[in-house]
Amino acid sequence: MTDPVMKMITSERLLPFWEAVTWSAVENAVMFDEVDLDTLSAEEVVLEAISLHLDNFENAPAEELSESKRTEKASQIQWSGNHERGLRRQGDKFMDEGKHEFAILFYATWIEHWLNRIILLRATGKGTHPELATALIRSSRIELKMGRIWTSLGNPMFPKELARQVTRVMESRNAFVHYKWPSGDEETHNESIKRTKLEAQKAQKTVAELMELEDSIFYRGRSEEIREAFRTGWYERRRETLTRVTSSEVEQADN
């Protein structure tokens, strides 16, 4: 009979989940400054990152760890749902459909997820307990997240113009959510539509620039290269695992 754990790991239905979990280990290592992006190849970055996070849990049994060590290990890895890809995709879809208010809504939500994720990972990577980091995120205005909180985590100063763009996207989102668009005659209405389209285009551009900022600061401009190495290696290893499982099942059936 197939090992139930192995069956769960190799399930096609759970494939997106396991891929996301495994990528979290790579992302954590990069955000925690645990891998040398200047000397390692993309594949070496992936392998070292995953190895580091496996070591965090295999070096000592949980029952032998002191409370402080358990807290330290809890802060060393963050496996949480990342909705950024879906939010951006939905924003782009609304842009294509001309539903610019909804595009702004999803782009603004993407920005909040993006900023909160980076703060959470950088903070926990520096030893802050995840619960404290989460409380800080929830209690802080977005201007503070791009200001004092951002630089306190060892990040270079947030670009001023990009910060202004983010603030503008949030203001446009709030105007839509709280229904602050002005009413008026047909001319005013048409101008409002044009303005909303322009704001949506700027929001889409802001999202792209934030992704470039993350790439340049944390990945040394190598995020796509590392992601591609991860995808290639992950799927190759998964195919090898499936092959071994299938072979083992055939052998057991023959016996």
Side-chain angles (χ1 to χ4, degrees), residues 10-189:
T10 57
S11 168
E12 289 292 335
R13 186 169 58 85
L14 294 174
L15 177 59
F17 168 76
W18 288 116
E19 182 177 0
V21 166
T22 311
W23 172 253
S24 289
V26 180
E27 183 179 52
N28 287 357
V30 171
M31 290 293 180
F32 293 178
D33 293 325
E34 292 180 323
V35 289
D36 189 349
L37 293 172
D38 294 325
T39 62
L40 298 177
S41 68
E43 184 176 2
E44 288 170 340
V45 168
V46 171
L47 293 177
E48 182 168 333
I50 294 174
S51 177
L52 281 168
H53 285 281
L54 287 175
D55 288 346
N56 284 338
F57 294 98
E58 292 178 352
N59 283 342
E63 61 270 19
E64 295 180 8
L65 294 175
S66 65
E67 182 62 31
S68 62
K69 284 294 183 182
R70 280 198 294 270
T71 300
E72 179 184 342
K73 286 189 178 292
S75 72
Q76 287 176 328
I77 189 161
Q78 289 295 305
W79 287 346
S80 57
N82 187 329
H83 303 287
E84 289 166 31
R85 183 179 299 181
L87 289 168
R88 188 186 186 201
R89 187 185 302 119
Q90 191 62 57
D92 291 344
K93 181 175 182 290
F94 281 130
M95 279 291 290
D96 293 340
E97 295 174 354
K99 299 177 181 178
H100 301 118
E101 296 96 338
F102 291 102
I104 291 171
L105 177 62
F106 276 88
Y107 289 141
T109 306
W110 181 96
I111 290 171
E112 288 187 316
H113 280 232
W114 178 88
L115 193 53
N116 291 346
R117 170 177 58 83
I118 290 179
I119 291 173
L120 177 63
L121 292 179
R122 294 293 286 176
T124 53
K126 291 182 178 299
T128 304
H129 194 282
E131 290 183 5
L132 180 58
T134 300
L136 177 66
I137 289 169
R138 289 176 176 171
S139 62
S140 302
R141 293 172 58 84
I142 197 163
E143 291 80 9
L144 186 59
K145 293 176 184 178
M146 295 186 292
R148 195 170 289 177
I149 293 175
W150 182 266
T151 53
S152 71
L153 296 173
N155 304 328
M157 187 175 293
F158 204 97
K160 289 185 179 180
E161 179 56 35
L162 188 52
R164 281 194 287 267
Q165 290 174 214
V166 167
T167 300
R168 184 162 181 166
V169 174
M170 294 305 166
E171 290 172 350
S172 296
R173 187 274 305 273
N174 292 341
F176 173 59
V177 170
H178 301 293
Y179 201 68
K180 294 180 180 178
W181 302 115
S183 58
D185 55 26
E186 184 176 354
E187 183 178 353
T188 303
H189 177 67

